[in-house]
Coordinates of all heavy atoms in Angstrom, one line a residue:
K33 N 5.4 -10.2 -22.9 CA 6.2 -10.0 -24.2 C 5.4 -8.9 -25.0 O 6.0 -8.2 -25.8 CB 6.3 -11.3 -25.0 CG 7.1 -12.3 -24.4 CD 7.2 -13.5 -25.3 CE 8.1 -14.6 -24.8 NZ 8.0 -15.9 -25.6
E34 N 4.1 -8.8 -24.8 CA 3.4 -7.8 -25.5 C 2.9 -6.6 -24.7 O 1.7 -6.2 -24.9 CB 2.1 -8.6 -26.2 CG 2.5 -9.7 -27.0 CD 1.3 -10.6 -27.4 OE1 0.2 -10.1 -27.4 OE2 1.6 -11.7 -27.8
S35 N 3.8 -6.1 -24.0 CA 3.6 -4.9 -23.2 C 4.7 -4.0 -23.2 O 5.8 -4.4 -23.5 CB 3.2 -5.3 -21.7 OG 4.4 -5.8 -21.1
S36 N 4.6 -2.7 -23.0 CA 5.7 -1.8 -22.9 C 6.5 -2.0 -21.7 O 7.8 -1.8 -21.7 CB 5.1 -0.3 -23.0 OG 4.4 -0.1 -24.1
S37 N 5.9 -2.2 -20.6 CA 6.6 -2.4 -19.3 C 5.8 -3.2 -18.4 O 4.5 -3.4 -18.6 CB 6.7 -0.9 -18.7 OG 7.3 -1.1 -17.4
A38 N 6.6 -4.0 -17.5 CA 5.9 -4.9 -16.5 C 6.7 -5.1 -15.3 O 7.9 -4.9 -15.4 CB 5.5 -6.2 -17.3
I39 N 6.0 -5.6 -14.3 CA 6.8 -5.9 -13.1 C 6.0 -6.8 -12.3 O 4.8 -6.9 -12.3 CB 7.1 -4.7 -12.2 CG1 8.2 -5.0 -11.1 CG2 5.9 -4.1 -11.5 CD1 8.8 -3.8 -10.5
L40 N 6.6 -7.8 -11.5 CA 6.1 -8.8 -10.6 C 6.8 -8.7 -9.3 O 8.0 -8.9 -9.2 CB 6.2 -10.1 -11.2 CG 5.7 -11.4 -10.4 CD1 4.3 -11.2 -10.0 CD2 5.9 -12.7 -11.1
M41 N 6.1 -8.2 -8.2 CA 6.7 -8.1 -7.0 C 5.9 -8.8 -5.8 O 4.7 -8.9 -5.8 CB 6.6 -6.5 -6.6 CG 7.1 -6.2 -5.2 SD 7.0 -4.4 -4.8 CE 8.2 -3.6 -5.8
E42 N 6.7 -9.4 -4.9 CA 6.1 -10.1 -3.7 C 5.9 -8.9 -2.7 O 6.7 -8.0 -2.4 CB 7.0 -11.1 -3.2 CG 6.4 -12.0 -2.1 CD 6.4 -11.3 -0.7 OE1 7.3 -10.7 -0.4 OE2 5.4 -11.6 0.0
R43 N 4.6 -8.8 -2.2 CA 4.2 -7.7 -1.3 C 5.0 -7.5 -0.1 O 5.5 -6.4 0.2 CB 2.8 -7.8 -1.1 CG 2.1 -6.5 -0.5 CD 2.2 -6.3 1.1 NE 1.7 -7.5 1.8 CZ 0.6 -7.5 2.4 NH1 -0.3 -6.5 2.1 NH2 0.2 -8.5 3.0
D44 N 5.1 -8.6 0.7 CA 5.7 -8.4 2.1 C 7.2 -7.9 2.0 O 7.6 -7.0 2.8 CB 5.6 -9.6 2.9 CG 4.2 -9.8 3.4 OD1 3.3 -9.0 3.2 OD2 3.9 -10.8 4.1
T45 N 7.9 -8.5 1.2 CA 9.4 -8.3 1.1 C 9.8 -7.2 0.1 O 10.9 -6.7 0.2 CB 10.2 -9.5 0.8 OG1 9.8 -10.0 -0.5 CG2 9.9 -10.7 1.7
G46 N 8.9 -7.0 -0.8 CA 9.3 -6.0 -2.0 C 10.1 -6.7 -3.0 O 10.7 -6.0 -3.9
A47 N 10.4 -7.9 -2.9 CA 11.3 -8.7 -3.8 C 10.7 -8.6 -5.3 O 9.5 -8.9 -5.5 CB 11.5 -10.1 -3.4
I48 N 11.5 -8.3 -6.2 CA 11.1 -8.3 -7.6 C 11.4 -9.7 -8.2 O 12.4 -10.1 -8.3 CB 11.9 -7.2 -8.4 CG1 11.5 -5.8 -7.8 CG2 11.4 -7.2 -9.9 CD1 12.3 -4.7 -8.3
L49 N 10.2 -10.3 -8.6 CA 10.3 -11.6 -9.2 C 10.6 -11.6 -10.8 O 11.1 -12.6 -11.3 CB 9.1 -12.5 -8.9 CG 8.8 -12.4 -7.4 CD1 7.5 -13.3 -7.1 CD2 9.9 -12.9 -6.6
F50 N 10.1 -10.5 -11.3 CA 10.3 -10.4 -12.8 C 10.1 -8.8 -13.1 O 9.2 -8.2 -12.4 CB 9.2 -11.2 -13.6 CG 9.1 -10.8 -15.1 CD1 10.1 -11.3 -16.0 CD2 8.1 -9.9 -15.6 CE1 10.1 -10.9 -17.3 CE2 8.1 -9.6 -16.8 CZ 9.2 -10.1 -17.8
E51 N 10.8 -8.3 -14.1 CA 10.6 -6.9 -14.5 C 11.0 -6.9 -16.0 O 11.8 -7.5 -16.5 CB 11.4 -6.0 -13.6 CG 12.9 -6.3 -13.7 CD 13.6 -5.3 -12.8 OE1 13.1 -4.2 -12.4 OE2 14.8 -5.6 -12.4
K52 N 10.3 -5.9 -16.6 CA 10.6 -5.5 -18.0 C 10.4 -4.0 -18.2 O 9.3 -3.5 -18.0 CB 9.7 -6.3 -18.9 CG 9.7 -5.9 -20.4 CD 8.6 -6.5 -21.3 CE 8.6 -5.9 -22.7 NZ 7.6 -6.5 -23.5
N53 N 11.5 -3.4 -18.4 CA 11.5 -1.9 -18.6 C 10.6 -1.2 -17.4 O 9.9 -0.3 -17.6 CB 10.7 -1.5 -19.9 CG 11.5 -2.2 -21.1 OD1 12.7 -2.4 -21.2 ND2 10.6 -2.4 -22.2
S54 N 11.0 -1.8 -16.2 CA 10.1 -1.4 -15.1 C 10.4 0.1 -14.7 O 9.7 0.6 -13.8 CB 10.2 -2.3 -13.9 OG 11.7 -2.2 -13.4
N55 N 11.4 0.7 -15.1 CA 11.7 2.2 -14.7 C 11.5 3.0 -16.0 O 11.9 4.3 -15.8 CB 13.2 2.3 -14.3 CG 13.4 1.7 -13.0 OD1 12.7 1.9 -12.0 ND2 14.4 0.8 -12.9
E56 N 10.7 2.6 -17.0 CA 10.4 3.5 -18.1 C 9.3 4.3 -17.7 O 8.2 3.9 -17.3 CB 10.1 2.6 -19.4 CG 9.7 3.5 -20.5 CD 9.5 2.6 -21.8 OE1 9.7 1.4 -21.7 OE2 9.1 3.2 -22.7
K57 N 9.4 5.7 -17.9 CA 8.3 6.6 -17.6 C 7.1 6.6 -18.6 O 7.4 6.7 -19.8 CB 8.8 8.0 -17.5 CG 9.8 8.3 -16.5 CD 10.4 9.7 -16.5 CE 11.4 9.9 -15.4 NZ 12.0 11.3 -15.5
L58 N 6.0 6.2 -18.1 CA 4.8 6.0 -19.1 C 3.5 6.6 -18.4 O 3.5 6.7 -17.2 CB 4.6 4.5 -19.3 CG 5.7 3.8 -20.0 CD1 5.4 2.2 -19.9 CD2 5.8 4.1 -21.4
P59 N 2.6 7.0 -19.2 CA 1.3 7.4 -18.6 C 0.6 6.3 -18.0 O 0.4 5.2 -18.6 CB 0.5 8.0 -19.9 CG 1.2 7.2 -21.0 CD 2.6 7.0 -20.7
P60 N 0.1 6.5 -16.8 CA -0.5 5.4 -16.0 C -2.0 5.2 -16.2 O -2.7 4.3 -15.8 CB -0.2 5.6 -14.5 CG -0.2 7.2 -14.5 CD 0.4 7.6 -15.8
A61 N -2.7 6.2 -16.8 CA -4.1 6.3 -17.0 C -4.8 6.1 -15.7 O -4.3 6.7 -14.7 CB -4.6 5.1 -18.0
S62 N -5.8 5.3 -15.6 CA -6.6 5.3 -14.3 C -5.8 4.5 -13.2 O -6.2 4.6 -12.1 CB -7.9 4.6 -14.5 OG -8.8 5.5 -15.0
M63 N -4.7 3.9 -13.5 CA -3.9 3.3 -12.3 C -3.4 4.5 -11.4 O -2.9 4.2 -10.3 CB -2.7 2.5 -12.8 CG -3.2 1.3 -13.6 SD -1.9 0.0 -14.0 CE -0.8 1.1 -15.0
T64 N -3.4 5.8 -11.8 CA -3.3 6.9 -11.0 C -4.0 6.8 -9.7 O -3.5 7.2 -8.7 CB -3.6 8.1 -11.8 OG1 -2.8 8.3 -13.0 CG2 -3.4 9.4 -11.0
K65 N -5.2 6.2 -9.8 CA -6.1 6.1 -8.7 C -5.6 5.4 -7.6 O -6.1 5.4 -6.4 CB -7.4 5.7 -9.2 CG -8.2 6.7 -10.1 CD -9.5 6.1 -10.5 CE -10.3 7.0 -11.5 NZ -9.9 6.8 -12.8
I66 N -4.6 4.5 -7.8 CA -3.9 3.8 -6.7 C -3.4 4.7 -5.7 O -3.5 4.6 -4.5 CB -2.8 2.9 -7.3 CG1 -3.5 1.8 -8.2 CG2 -2.0 2.2 -6.1 CD1 -2.4 0.9 -8.9
M67 N -2.6 5.8 -6.2 CA -2.2 6.9 -5.2 C -3.4 7.5 -4.6 O -3.4 7.9 -3.4 CB -1.3 7.8 -6.0 CG -0.8 9.0 -5.1 SD 0.2 8.5 -3.6 CE 1.8 8.4 -4.4
T68 N -4.4 7.8 -5.3 CA -5.6 8.5 -4.8 C -6.2 7.7 -3.6 O -6.5 8.2 -2.6 CB -6.6 8.8 -5.8 OG1 -6.1 9.7 -6.9 CG2 -7.9 9.4 -5.3
M69 N -6.3 6.5 -3.9 CA -6.9 5.5 -2.9 C -5.9 5.4 -1.7 O -6.4 5.4 -0.4 CB -7.1 4.1 -3.5 CG -8.3 4.1 -4.4 SD -8.8 2.4 -4.9 CE -7.5 2.0 -5.9

Side-chain angles (χ1 to χ4, degrees):
K33 294 179 183 179
E34 298 171 25
S35 64
S36 301
S37 177
I39 196 166
L40 173 60
M41 176 185 285
E42 194 277 326
R43 191 277 304 267
D44 285 1
T45 63
I48 299 170
L49 310 182
F50 169 80
E51 60 183 340
K52 173 188 175 182
N53 302 330
S54 65
N55 290 309
E56 182 179 351
K57 295 177 183 177
L58 295 168
S62 280
M63 294 193 300
T64 298
K65 297 181 179 84
I66 296 171
M67 176 62 89
T68 298
M69 290 189 288

